[in-house]
Every structure is written in C-alpha cells, then in structure tokens.
Amino acid sequence: MKHKVRLTVIDKKLFPELQQRYCADPCSGACPCYNVGDVFEFYRDGERDDFWHCGFNTLVHTDADPATVAGGPMLPFCSELWDAISRYIYTGLQGGSIMKGWMRNENEMIACCSDGTRPVIFKIERIDYE
C-alpha cells in the first residue's frame, strides 16, 4: 500500500482590525500565497520526496497563475504554513492516522497557518492507493 497526501485550500480569513493594530504594514491584506480551491499532492517514494522539498512543485490545481502560488513551480511552501502542517503531511505519507478520535475520518485534518491576521485554512487528506 502506498500513500499520498492531498492539501486543499478550503478558506482564507482576514482580520483587518488586527492588521491595523499590530502589523508593520497595516494594510497588508489577505494572504498572497494561496487561493481558495488550490490543490497540492505530496508523494514520498523512490522517485519523489515532496516532503523533503517542503512542498515545492506539488501544486496540481489552481485558478490563479501557478507561478504565484507557494508550492507551485516557482515557490516553496510558505514557512509559517509548513511549520504548522508538515507533521500531518509526514504522518500521512507514512500511512499513519492524521487525527484519530478528533476528526470523523482519521485520514483527514483541518488545519491552518499560524498567521493570526490572515490565516489560510487547509483540508489535509491521506489517500491510500495501489
């Protein structure tokens, strides 16, 4: 049995009142790195190790210009997001339970980056195949 991990951007939030109060650029706006609907797939086998490369070039779907999406062909994953979700990706790639007892399906997790003024929310899925 092999395992891959799919990440899907399911929402983006913006808290302008927090940006106004705390950010160096009080008008920095929503996250420019990801878009709702972006999909990424991670593999870790003899041919690919997307985990080791921090998600670089794992983008499989976007409605935006792929060159502008972190995880696309030009940019690695955002470091704040990677820090927040990499353990779930690694667990899924090894065939482990991502969040047993917390989520309805132990192979799924809803997580977000740690940017408190403009978080991006992802669905993380372990997909078993072959």
Side-chain angles (χ1 to χ4, degrees):
M1 177 78 57
K2 293 183 180 181
H3 316 282
K4 67 180 179 178
V5 174
R6 178 178 295 142
L7 272 65
T8 305
V9 178
I10 60 173
D11 204 354
K12 288 173 61 165
K13 300 293 183 188
L14 175 61
F15 300 102
E17 68 282 1
L18 295 176
Q19 287 184 351
Q20 288 288 320
R21 186 169 178 186
Y22 297 106
C23 291
D25 177 359
C27 299
S28 52
C31 174
C33 298
Y34 302 101
N35 309 284
V36 173
D38 288 350
V39 178
F40 306 85
E41 289 188 352
F42 285 75
Y43 294 85
R44 191 167 198 228
D45 54 31
E47 297 178 27
R48 282 178 65 171
D49 191 343
D50 298 324
F51 182 84
W52 178 254
H53 295 104
C54 301
F56 180 73
N57 208 22
T58 56
L59 180 68
V60 295
H61 172 79
T62 187
D63 291 331
D65 176 0
T68 66
V69 178
M74 304 298 289
L75 302 168
F77 259 65
C78 165
S79 60
E80 289 299 313
L81 175 66
W82 189 249
D83 185 50
I85 67 170
S86 61
R87 64 181 159 252
Y88 304 119
I89 294 170
Y90 186 80
T91 299
L93 288 171
Q94 301 305 314
S97 173
I98 297 175
M99 199 47 77
K100 185 175 184 176
W102 182 251
M103 303 298 292
R104 287 185 185 153
N105 300 314
E106 70 176 53
N107 67 317
E108 296 179 342
M109 175 66 184
I110 303 301
C112 66
C113 72
S114 56
D115 187 335
T117 71
R118 56 184 185 181
V120 179
I121 303 165
F122 285 80
K123 178 181 179 184
I124 305 168
E125 305 170 81
R126 182 195 77 228
I127 299 170
D128 305 324
Y129 66 100
E130 215 176 323

